[in-house]
Amino acid sequence: MRKVEVRLGDKGYDILIGSGLLKETAQQLKGIGFSDKLVIITNPVVQRLYGNALEESLSAEGFKVTALLVADGEEQKSLDIAGRLYTELTSAYAERATPILALGGGVIGDLAGFVAATYLRGVPLVQIPTTLLAQVDSSIGGKVAVNHGQLKNKIGAFYQPRLVISDTATLKTLPAEELASGMAEMIKSAVIKDREFFTFIETKLDKIKTLDDTVMEEIVFRSAKIKAEVVAKDELDMGLRNILNFGHTVGHAIETVSDFKVEHGQAVAMGMMAAARIAQRLGLLDRGELTRLKGVIAGAGLPTEMPKLDTKGIIEAIKHDKKIVAGKVRFVLPRAMGDVFVTDEVSPSLVEEVLGG
Ligand SMILES: NC(=O)c1ccc[n+]([C@@H]2O[C@H](COP(=O)([O-])OP(=O)(O)OC[C@H]3O[C@@H](n4cnc5c(N)ncnc54)[C@H](O)[C@@H]3O)[C@@H](O)[C@H]2O)c1
């Protein structure tokens, strides 16, 4: 088992990473002082694969477990579903000290986290991420949220979990496109902070794609460590945390303009390539570095070219993105693999040129 500490003073917590860790959940929960009653929030897919076994093992260790189910899918991240969960928590006699275990991908993590942050003004949250994206990114850092109308992820809170348990064996059942989505965020982590990790990914792509146990543990550990370091320095997203948006300025716009037909990981991959091309045209990034990034993204099975979408629409969507500060679009640009900076000074014409408009 590997461990990453998220250093946030009295809000700090551990991220435990390893193959087969789910079996140790009871022991780990007892280790941080939980006993008695707890609630698992999950979806039917994850319940069938892992939830039932987890419930049984926790019950066998003396926990009184209530499992609450929400359907699969992003549309479940809503105030309506949160409202239904509050009612179900009340029926289950959940109290201030009753922990909520979020078992699933980023959708469950964000929704169950939002419910944990708000039910009775906050009950303890434990993240048990089962997708690569959730293990390398969304379960760490305390951003919890639901969607509301056009406001995607904008009704939420910063609410840190008490523990994150990442069982890398659960990744073996992930559909290929979900694995690729997580790989996009993992590549992002390496590019923003860790050149050596980027080289590691570059040389281990085959083993990542075949889900080699040792390599998966290593990449989840290294990605989690990067995110934990950034979050520890900027919990409330006031500055440094911006770098986690590398690839997301253009990526979100592509998702929006494609009406979410281009899925997140693919959009982020295209967004990372767009940011790198902007940096290269500004003379900040060597062509060799751009080629390496392209190689890793393509090697992960992700797209490196822009989709056939309305370029003007993408630019408009970028302007409406939340990362606009004082009317300027914020970009995270790479200077090299492992080194990025944030700038508001990218001209719209350069963006258009790179997007192929
Ligand atoms: N809070 C944050 O900081 C943060 C960061 C990034 C993304 N997010 C959010 O995360 C969400 C995306 O998360 P995601 O990519 O994990 O999607 P997801 O939660 O929808 O999971 C993807 C699919 O995989 C299934 N699944 C989960 N675990 C599985 C397993 N082990 N085996 C087989 N199938 C499994 C799910 O049922 C679902 O169908 C978005 O809502 C996004 O906004 C949040």
Side-chain angles (χ1 to χ4, degrees):
M1 181 179 77
R2 313 286 293 270
K3 185 165 95 176
V4 174
E5 287 173 34
V6 185
R7 296 176 199 277
L8 282 171
D10 56 5
K11 282 189 273 172
Y13 52 97
D14 289 342
I15 304 165
L16 308 178
I17 299 148
S19 177
L21 262 191
L22 266 185
K23 287 193 212 76
E24 290 178 31
T25 306
Q27 185 195 328
Q28 298 299 347
L29 292 177
K30 286 179 184 172
I32 54 168
F34 295 132
S35 56
D36 200 37
K37 212 184 298 179
L38 59 79
V39 174
I40 299 174
I41 297 182
T42 190
N43 74 24
V45 176
V46 181
Q47 184 190 40
R48 184 176 52 77
L49 289 166
Y50 307 107
N52 293 330
L54 178 65
E55 202 177 325
E56 271 170 35
S57 72
L58 290 170
S59 302
E61 290 290 328
F63 286 95
K64 294 194 195 78
V65 187
T66 302
L68 302 182
L69 280 186
V70 294
D72 198 5
E74 176 75 22
E75 61 285 356
Q76 301 300 311
K77 263 175 62 175
S78 70
L79 287 170
D80 277 355
I81 300 295
R84 198 197 80 204
L85 290 168
Y86 299 142
T87 308
E88 292 176 358
L89 285 165
T90 313
S91 304
Y93 301 101
E95 299 157 14
R96 278 296 290 278
T98 308
I100 290 182
L101 276 50
L103 175 70
V107 167
I108 289 290
D110 280 11
L111 170 69
F114 177 81
V115 167
T118 46
Y119 181 69
L120 304 180
R121 295 191 188 82
V123 298
L125 170 67
V126 175
Q127 292 278 9
I128 310 185
T130 62
T131 63
L132 183 59
L133 180 136
Q135 293 189 356
V136 302
D137 192 353
S138 63
S139 65
I140 307 159
K143 279 193 183 177
V144 296
V146 294
N147 305 319
H148 185 60
Q150 296 298 96
L151 301 172
K152 188 165 153 39
N153 284 332
K154 285 184 192 162
I155 307 297
F158 289 96
Y159 192 70
Q160 300 298 336
R162 300 282 277 273
L163 179 68
V164 181
I165 301 176
S166 285
D167 182 344
T168 46
T170 62
L171 305 177
K172 293 199 191 302
T173 52
L174 263 193
E177 65 274 17
E178 299 302 341
L179 190 69
S181 222
M183 282 173 78
E185 301 294 350
M186 168 195 87
I187 294 166
K188 173 197 81 177
S189 298
V191 176
I192 62 176
K193 268 224 162 264
D194 191 339
R195 187 172 180 81
E196 211 264 310
F197 181 33
F198 184 85
T199 306
F200 181 86
I201 297 172
E202 208 170 30
T203 53
K204 301 283 190 226
L205 274 173
D206 286 342
K207 295 204 164 181
I208 298 171
K209 284 198 278 187
T210 53
L211 299 166
D212 176 275
D213 275 335
T214 315
V215 171
M216 291 317 280
E217 229 177 84
E218 185 67 22
I219 59 165
V220 173
F221 170 74
R222 293 211 196 184
S223 306
K225 199 157 171 280
I226 292 166
K227 179 131 188 206
E229 276 168 19
V230 172
V231 166
K233 289 194 184 126
D234 181 21
E235 185 194 1
L236 302 180
D237 204 359
M238 308 295 275
L240 180 70
R241 217 169 153 158
N242 266 315
I243 64 173
L244 295 168
N245 285 320
F246 171 56
H248 286 61
T249 309
V250 171
H252 281 153
I254 292 173
E255 282 183 283
T256 307
V257 172
S258 74
D259 212 8
F260 293 89
K261 287 193 185 67
V262 177
E263 57 86 41
H264 186 71
Q266 298 194 327
V268 170
M270 294 166 181
M272 290 192 287
M273 284 306 297
R277 288 187 175 115
I278 289 171
Q280 199 242 327
R281 283 183 204 201
L282 288 171
L284 301 166
L285 181 74
D286 276 3
R287 184 163 282 283
E289 292 287 280
L290 179 67
T291 306
R292 281 184 74 188
L293 178 63
K294 190 173 175 182
V296 165
I297 291 177
L302 292 161
T304 56
E305 302 301 327
M306 291 305 289
K308 302 258 167 296
L309 288 171
D310 165 23
T311 306
K312 294 244 168 348
I314 295 178
I315 290 170
E316 274 314 300
I318 291 172
K319 287 188 191 150
H320 283 100
D321 192 82
K322 63 182 172 189
K323 280 168 284 298
I324 290 189
V325 177
K328 292 195 164 180
V329 178
R330 177 156 289 182
F331 270 92
V332 182
L333 299 183
R335 276 185 285 245
M337 296 304 99
D339 179 20
V340 295
F341 71 106
V342 180
T343 176
D344 297 334
E345 302 300 333
V346 178
S347 72
S349 59
L350 179 55
V351 179
E352 200 165 331
E353 191 186 315
V354 163
L355 296 185

